[in-house]
Amino acid sequence: MAIFRWASLRRHVWFPSLFILTIILSAFLSLLTASETSAATSVTFVPVADSYVSSGSPTSNYGTSTQLRVDGSPIVNSYLRFSVTGLSSAVTSATLRIYATSSQSTGYTAHAVADNTWGETTITYSNAPALGSAIGASGAVSANTWT
């Protein structure tokens, strides 16, 4: 069984308090695992694109920022896209790991999006893919920890 994790070495997520948070994942790559023949294997994928968008600045792009952000007012959503290649079997589950730099009692929810063609330096709130169904949630988040 292979387990997939996202562990960013360059991005940190800023969590404001008292807001419902949303992390958006492109396609179907959050919370999925691949089963291999007999032994458990761990494979790590890092995002090939990541950015956040804000309803407060609907035409601004934040793709060069070193942080991912989420908020409820104004609405701020983060997008992550992974390129999963070189697997010998189908993905059945994965683990998404996000490093939080602040605490948040309600946590965040991961959603799939149908359109994974968005660009890291071109995505804005105005052109961001619509949220799909929720595919996972973090629960409460503590500062300076991996979720």
Side-chain angles (χ1 to χ4, degrees):
M1 171 181 298
I3 300 171
F4 302 94
R5 294 187 194 116
W6 176 68
S8 175
L9 299 176
R10 67 183 182 109
R11 303 285 178 150
H12 295 283
V13 179
W14 173 77
F15 291 102
S17 61
L18 305 176
F19 292 110
I20 297 175
L21 306 176
T22 307
I23 294 288
I24 294 95
L25 302 178
S26 293
F28 51 86
L29 300 176
S30 67
L31 311 179
L32 309 170
T33 308
S35 44
E36 297 284 79
T37 50
S38 57
T41 309
S42 179
V43 179
T44 300
F45 293 97
V46 296
V48 296
D50 54 25
S51 187
Y52 69 91
V53 299
S54 173
S55 65
S57 298
T59 59
S60 294
N61 170 266
Y62 303 97
T64 59
S65 175
T66 59
Q67 297 181 349
L68 295 174
R69 295 180 178 227
V70 290
D71 202 339
S73 181
I75 298 169
V76 178
N77 295 320
S78 287
Y79 285 76
L80 302 169
R81 185 174 63 236
F82 299 86
S83 177
V84 177
T85 60
L87 301 177
S88 60
S89 61
V91 175
T92 58
S93 71
T95 301
L96 174 68
R97 300 211 53 214
I98 303 286
Y99 188 80
T101 57
S102 61
S103 297
Q104 214 300 321
S105 62
T106 58
Y108 60 86
T109 302
H111 292 263
V113 296
D115 180 1
N116 65 359
T117 61
W118 56 270
E120 183 174 61
T121 59
T122 58
I123 190 171
T124 67
Y125 188 83
S126 296
N127 68 13
L131 297 178
S133 59
I135 54 178
S138 69
V141 174
S142 297
N144 302 313
T145 60
W146 288 97
T147 65

